Amino acid sequence: MLRYGDPSWYQGFNSPYYNDSHVRFRKAVREYVERELMPNCHEWEEAKSLAPHTHRKLGQAGILAGLSGMWPKEFAGESIAGGVKPEEWNFFHEMILLDELCRIGSVGVVWGIISGVSIALPTL
């Protein structure tokens, strides 16, 4: 962690909005992004396409459905990254997810991941 580079709540400062589920979720998503997405960004940018399995793997990791603005457990199940329970899910989790995905540093890759899910899925 880069000192003062992360939000204050993640550095251990008190917040009335963030709790342990947010910390666990952020840790799990950050590890996934650094392991699965960051190493492939340049290749995907050059190809102008994500690997075919990217969305499926994000779904299996308990991450992808969080981009819909809620956790639709009837479609996505109850397995959320970091052991978060569907009833704990709130918009702060979604904001954390977007923050962590944006750490990739590639607008094309981030947009390729979130565009269809965050625009189309909530209306369904």
Side-chain angles (χ1 to χ4, degrees):
M1 177 180 345
L2 178 63
R3 187 176 177 145
Y4 306 116
D6 280 310
S8 59
W9 71 269
Y10 198 56
Q11 296 179 55
F13 296 102
N14 188 33
S15 169
Y17 305 106
Y18 294 94
N19 58 43
D20 183 57
S21 73
H22 298 107
V23 173
R24 292 189 327 265
F25 183 68
R26 184 178 193 123
K27 181 178 187 299
V29 173
R30 181 169 285 196
E31 288 171 359
Y32 182 89
V33 166
E34 288 179 353
R35 182 182 67 248
E36 300 290 333
L37 302 178
M38 283 184 174
N40 300 302
C41 277
H42 181 72
E43 177 185 337
W44 293 343
E45 278 281 350
E46 292 294 315
K48 296 181 174 60
S49 179
L50 300 174
H53 62 274
T54 304
H55 285 93
R56 179 176 40 81
K57 287 178 72 174
L58 281 161
Q60 291 170 341
I63 295 171
L64 188 64
L67 293 168
S68 69
M70 59 186 162
W71 191 268
K73 69 179 181 180
E74 62 274 9
F75 303 110
E78 298 192 19
S79 179
I80 303 174
V84 176
K85 296 180 177 100
E87 57 272 12
E88 294 177 299
W89 186 266
N90 59 41
F91 287 110
F92 290 101
H93 290 94
E94 182 183 15
M95 188 173 71
I96 290 166
L97 175 53
L98 293 170
D99 276 351
E100 292 303 314
L101 286 174
C102 288
R103 288 183 68 246
I104 293 171
S106 165
V107 174
V109 171
V110 171
W111 189 242
I113 291 170
I114 71 171
S115 61
V117 179
S118 61
I119 293 172
L121 191 59
T123 61
L124 298 176

